[in-house]
């Protein structure tokens, strides 16, 4: 079973993390809960408030979470503060070194870009964040036409709903097309 740690923070975009959370959870449910253990993490374990006001109590803090195999960094207006938060950047970098996959949704790519993890890679992000990502990570090649980009250990997706497609891709990459199809059917999702 793989641990999927989803980092959440104030002013996170709800679907950026809730969509992938649902994909990984459903994929596991469809396979006797053997595929993924999905949990949320905030910096201090405190409740966060999404962009549109939904309050979410994370499962863990930076100091209490289990090992992470797949780290997902969503976006939202709050991501602009993250790139100035040394503790967050250190935590992401430390966990990146241990993960099988580190991925971003939407403007979560800013965090990866700030750490240099997108240097000399193709990436994508929300269309309104492209210029900022170019500024922060001038060595990345941004493909604004893709829903997601798989660079192996590092993956990025475009804005908001594209995180669902990225999560489905990860399910397929790890467990195969049948696992992805079962998840899509159960979610009644149309790609």
């Amino acid at each position: 079973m793989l641990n999927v740690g989803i980092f959440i923070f104030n002013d996170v975009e709800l679907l950026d993390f809730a969509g992938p959370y649902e994909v990984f959870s459903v994929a596991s449910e469809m396979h006797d809960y053997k595929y993924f253990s999905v949990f949320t993490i905030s910096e201090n374990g405190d409740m966060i408030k999404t962009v549109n006001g939904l309050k979410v109590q994370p499962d863990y803090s930076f100091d209490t979470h289990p090992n992470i195999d797949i780290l997902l960094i969503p976006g939202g207006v709050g991501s602009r503060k993250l790139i100035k938060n040394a503790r967050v950047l250190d935590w992401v970098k430390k966990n990146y070194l241990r993960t099988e996959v580190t991925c971003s949704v939407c403007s979560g790519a800013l965090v990866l870009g700030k750490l240099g993890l997108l240097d000399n890679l193709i990436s994508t992000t929300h269309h309104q964040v492209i210029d900022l990502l170019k500024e922060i990570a001038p060595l990345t090649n941004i493909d604004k036409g893709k829903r997601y980009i798989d660079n192996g250990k590092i993956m990025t997706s475009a804005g908001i709903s594209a995180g669902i497609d990225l999560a489905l891709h990860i399910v397929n990459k790890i467990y195969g097309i049948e696992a992805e199809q079962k998840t899509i059917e159960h979610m009644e999702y149309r790609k």
Side-chain angles (χ1 to χ4, degrees):
M1 179 175 298
L2 297 173
N3 285 341
V4 180
I6 300 177
F7 175 44
I8 57 175
F9 46 89
N10 283 317
D11 293 322
V12 65
E13 186 67 49
L14 177 61
L15 192 58
D16 277 14
F17 75 88
Y21 190 106
E22 182 74 5
V23 169
F24 292 122
S25 297
V26 167
S28 198
E29 178 187 353
M30 296 292 95
H31 297 88
D32 299 321
Y33 298 96
K34 294 178 184 171
Y35 282 4
F36 302 104
S37 172
V38 188
F39 49 86
T40 54
I41 306 158
S42 72
E43 183 175 356
N44 298 311
D46 298 334
M47 183 178 297
I48 62 95
K49 194 173 181 184
T50 69
V51 167
N52 295 312
L54 180 70
K55 293 177 184 175
V56 179
Q57 179 62 54
D59 299 305
Y60 299 103
S61 72
F62 284 179
D63 298 322
T64 63
H65 68 82
N67 289 334
I68 301 169
D69 300 302
I70 299 170
L71 173 61
L72 186 131
I73 303 163
V77 227
S79 63
R80 286 146 183 87
K81 289 181 184 174
L82 298 180
I83 60 174
K84 299 174 186 169
N85 182 325
R87 184 167 187 239
V88 167
L89 294 173
D90 289 344
W91 178 82
V92 170
K93 183 71 170 208
K94 180 177 82 173
N95 281 282
Y96 160 75
L97 295 172
R98 301 176 186 163
T99 63
E100 291 182 31
V101 174
T102 296
C103 56
S104 65
V105 178
C106 193
S107 61
L110 297 175
V111 174
L112 300 180
K114 181 71 175 179
L115 290 168
L117 299 176
L118 300 179
D119 288 358
N120 304 309
L121 298 177
I122 299 170
S123 65
T124 192
T125 189
H126 190 281
H127 65 274
Q128 293 178 333
V129 185
I130 289 173
D131 290 339
L132 183 55
L133 183 57
K134 282 181 186 176
E135 181 183 320
I136 290 170
L139 298 180
T140 190
N141 179 10
I142 301 168
D143 186 338
K144 57 186 173 187
K146 298 282 177 135
R147 297 275 292 162
Y148 61 86
I149 307 263
D150 180 346
N151 287 295
K153 185 173 171 118
I154 291 281
M155 300 182 194
T156 56
S157 76
I160 310 176
S161 66
I164 295 170
D165 294 350
L166 174 62
L168 287 167
H169 170 74
I170 293 169
V171 169
N172 184 335
K173 185 173 182 172
I174 296 171
Y175 293 112
I177 187 72
E178 184 180 327
E180 180 189 26
Q181 287 303 319
K182 276 181 141 176
T183 304
I184 288 170
E185 287 170 20
H186 186 77
M187 290 177 61
E188 294 192 351
Y189 182 68
R190 306 291 180 260
K191 286 172 71 172

